[in-house]
Amino acid sequence: MAFSWSTSGHSVLKLNIRQLCLFGMWPLCDSPLYNFYSALVLTLGVWNCMEGALAIGYSGADLEETTLVLANSFTTCSGLVKGILFVWYRPQYYAMAQRLNALVWAQSEACTTDTTLANILQNSRRRAARISLAMFLFLFLQAVVWFPMPLIAHPGERRLPLVQHYWAGNNSYYELSYIVQCCSANYLANVSFGMDCLLVTIMILVAAQLKVLTIRVAALRMEQADTELGVKQRLEGPPAVYQDRLYKDMCLCIENHQQILRFVKDLQRVMNPIAMTQFIFSVLVACVALFQATYFTSVDSSFCVPQSTDFAAVFQCVAFLPVPGGQVFLYCWAAQNVADEAQAVSTAAYSCSWVESSAAFKHGLRLLLCRAQKRLVLTAGYCYPIDRAAFLSLVNASYSYYALLGQMNRH
């Protein structure tokens, strides 16, 4: 079921849904004009990628210009691929958003009576909203750096912000080309970041649900029988009414745990191609941006003159370097939190009152333990685990390609 503008306001993904709606990905109305808008955004991305390919072909052996074009083209291609995947699998994203709302609601009753649990959910939603807003503002700052830079650093030279039209000398439709490049880069970058923030928000909320479940499982104790019956009667053994209550609470925890695991399985299926796309392009973008920012600003030892006079391009790449690393880090950090909180459920099960409980309670607890001890790992492309180790390996891969480009530049 699709969302409307009003129903999206009641979703835990409200900010992410409306952000994607703004940039043409998530329709909140049944209108052919919005479908045309989505097609126009993707067409701008295709046009930008074609411009980059032509520019690389016409620039010849100019490695400095090539790396600058590649940094933009890889970023645009990443947003284009992720946008196409989102449009293709829109019904799955609609269903996932609805199921996440149901998942949060399933434990809401327990959270209304416990301020600690309520704070966990509130803090997770605030953290997710802050990350999404911070990424949106960061992209706005990138636009301020990249788009007007040719007009500031090269006044009167008719340079374009991202890709130079070497085949026409930037003379044909200069103003239109300038606007199209700015629009395409801005839209596709926001689509890419919007998809990342959507998935990261989901993982943050799932980790919060697992944390709430962990506290509920650890709280399965007989303290209430102590206060209601007194210590003397409690030592003789809790009555069946308390055993039944404890067993029912444990069954609710098991049911919520199974719901979370089923949701994570669906999330895994939807997130796989998006995460893999981002990981590949992040490595490539980080490599070429770092190469542009270092090799073309090295200082000659005899004359102390920089090898490159285009300091605007260098500044652009230095300012852009946190983008690919930040996108990968968000995925790895959020997925690691999900894995850690899932592992904590099994630890919490050992802390409950299983020694004095009934046989049925112990049997159900064994089932919970067996499933919770199985590590919950999110992957990219069904083959690459997403965790802190993955972030380090991707950084190492970027540096390896960067070193290879450096060797090619020397020879």
Side-chain angles (χ1 to χ4, degrees), residues 93-161:
Y93 284 95
Y94 298 159
M96 187 171 62
Q98 297 283 9
R99 291 191 63 185
L100 181 61
N101 292 335
L103 191 69
V104 173
W105 179 84
Q107 294 197 97
S108 60
E109 184 178 354
C111 296
T112 53
T113 58
D114 192 323
T115 56
T116 301
L117 301 183
N119 288 335
I120 291 173
L121 295 185
Q122 276 191 339
N123 291 336
S124 65
R125 295 182 68 171
R126 287 173 185 165
R127 187 183 304 116
R130 287 169 184 166
I131 289 175
S132 299
L133 287 174
M135 293 300 102
F136 181 79
L137 292 175
F138 181 71
L139 282 181
F140 175 77
L141 292 176
Q142 288 293 321
V144 171
V145 171
W146 279 75
F147 298 155
M149 188 61 69
L151 302 177
I152 299 172
H154 307 282
E157 295 184 18
R158 299 177 68 84
R159 286 183 63 86
L160 293 170

Side-chain angles (χ1 to χ4, degrees), residues 279 328-329 331-333 335-337 339 375 377-378 384-394:
F279 282 14
V328 172
F329 176 77
Y331 277 102
C332 296
W333 167 75
Q336 184 69 54
N337 284 344
R375 190 162 179 259
V377 181
L378 292 166
Y384 201 86
I386 306 176
D387 50 21
R388 282 191 289 264
F391 176 72
L392 295 177
S393 65
L394 289 171

